[in-house]
Amino acid sequence: MKKNKNTLLLLLMFLSITTLLVLVGIVGRISYLGLHEVSANLPSFFFGVYIIISCLSLLTLLNIILIISPLSRFSFGHKYIYEAVNLLFPLILLWGKLLRVSRRSIERSFINVNNRLIGRSNIKVYAEELLVISPHCLQLAACKYKITYDVNNCHKCGACTIGAMLKMAEEMGFHFHVVTGGTLARNLVKSTHPKLILAIACERDLASGIQDVYPLPAVGVLNSRPFGPCYNTTVDLEEVRVAIERYIIKKNRNNDK
């Protein structure tokens, strides 16, 4: 299933890149006479640029094929692929709409490939440089201790996963906050200045959040929604811990100096 999701993004990226190349080619063809009048060498220069862009696009697609395959260790240029995926995402969504592919499927594929790209980039940060963000719906709806503006109001009763996330944050040393939306999340990023974000949310919020904080790297962990969206959601705590341990440096930054 995961392979199919990753392949979906690859297909939509191929269509998006092809669309851009066709548009650039049409513009170049229409502009040919005007370019030639300005300088006899301009058409050749434009064609050379077009060839370079085409080759880079093919390399990007080849790299994504490598990343989603067992040969991911042979992939290269992860930073530039990451940028290409993020920049092309609006066009990817447009193609998905034209092909009647559900937005959720595209977003899930995008998150999977995004996480693999960041994983292959060998990013390592100190725990205090990691910001972990959770949606407010991870808290039990009936709980009277609201934690939206101060997560430490949580009494860690164990009825939801917020208490366990707080204990994990205290143990490992990363920043953990609960947010109600993108505005609060962006304000947190500005105030904490993280070098890496790990966000827990649904497909829509993760995909848009990764776009919002770009080029700051953000890893996404999907929540579970047994009672439907935005109500008493939960998350696989082991998946969160494994993801965090993959990216943090074990030593405290102050003790490492």
Side-chain angles (χ1 to χ4, degrees):
M1 178 65 71
K2 184 177 289 187
K3 183 177 179 181
N4 291 337
K5 291 169 185 172
N6 293 337
T7 305
L8 171 63
L9 187 71
L10 178 64
L11 171 63
L12 295 176
M13 274 201 70
F14 172 77
L15 293 173
S16 301
I17 289 173
T18 302
T19 301
L20 287 177
L21 292 177
V22 169
L23 289 174
V24 171
I26 291 173
V27 170
R29 182 65 178 172
I30 294 173
S31 306
Y32 177 82
L33 292 177
L35 291 172
H36 194 272
E37 288 179 3
V38 175
S39 172
N41 295 322
L42 266 182
S44 298
F45 174 78
F46 183 89
F47 181 72
V49 172
Y50 181 78
I51 293 298
I52 292 172
I53 293 174
S54 301
C55 291
L56 290 175
S57 299
L58 290 173
L59 280 175
T60 299
L61 289 171
L62 173 62
N63 261 317
I64 293 179
I65 292 173
L66 289 174
I67 284 168
I68 65 177
S69 75
L71 302 175
S72 60
R73 64 182 180 277
F74 297 112
S75 59
F76 56 92
H78 303 107
K79 176 183 176 181
Y80 302 104
I81 303 171
Y82 180 77
E83 292 176 353
V85 172
N86 279 275
L87 291 173
L88 285 171
F89 193 62
L91 192 52
I92 288 170
L93 287 178
L94 177 60
W95 265 110
K97 188 174 182 179
L98 292 173
L99 296 175
R100 297 184 179 181
V101 179
S102 73
R103 185 182 178 112
R104 178 176 292 184
S105 297
I106 298 171
E107 289 167 340
R108 187 179 286 264
S109 180
F110 171 74
I111 294 161
N112 287 335
V113 173
N114 172 80
N115 289 352
R116 289 182 71 90
L117 281 169
I118 294 176
R120 296 303 304 174
S121 297
N122 297 318
I123 295 174
K124 290 289 184 180
V125 299
Y126 291 98
E128 59 267 32
E129 296 172 328
L130 171 67
L131 172 62
V132 178
I133 301 176
S134 161
H136 67 94
C137 59
L138 212 63
Q139 182 187 30
L140 195 68
C143 183
K144 62 181 180 179
Y145 302 106
K146 297 307 174 184
I147 58 172
T148 302
Y149 296 101
D150 185 3
V151 72
N152 292 307
N153 285 336
C154 175
H155 283 219
K156 303 175 185 174
C157 66
C160 67
T161 52
I162 295 295
M165 286 299 307
L166 270 174
K167 292 177 182 178
M168 195 186 302
E170 293 167 359
E171 171 196 340
M172 303 176 76
F174 58 82
H175 298 278
F176 174 61
H177 292 274
V178 174
V179 298
T180 55
T183 300
L184 184 54
R186 285 189 291 271
N187 290 337
L188 274 173
V189 172
K190 291 179 181 178
S191 62
T192 56
H193 303 290
K195 291 187 177 179
L196 178 67
I197 295 173
L198 186 141
I200 302 167
C202 62
E203 290 89 348
R204 182 191 63 185
D205 289 347
L206 282 179
S208 62
I210 290 169
Q211 292 290 304
D212 284 345
V213 301
Y214 172 79
L216 182 66
V219 178
V221 176
L222 287 169
N223 60 4
S224 299
R225 302 174 289 273
F227 303 101
C230 303
Y231 183 79
N232 288 350
T233 62
T234 185
V235 69
D236 186 334
L237 293 170
E238 185 59 28
E239 182 182 356
V240 173
R241 179 180 286 275
V242 168
I244 291 172
E245 288 179 342
R246 180 175 185 176
Y247 295 104
I248 62 171
I249 301 169
K250 300 300 181 182
K251 293 181 180 180
N252 181 279
R253 178 171 54 180
N254 295 325
N255 295 335
D256 199 36
K257 291 181 178 178

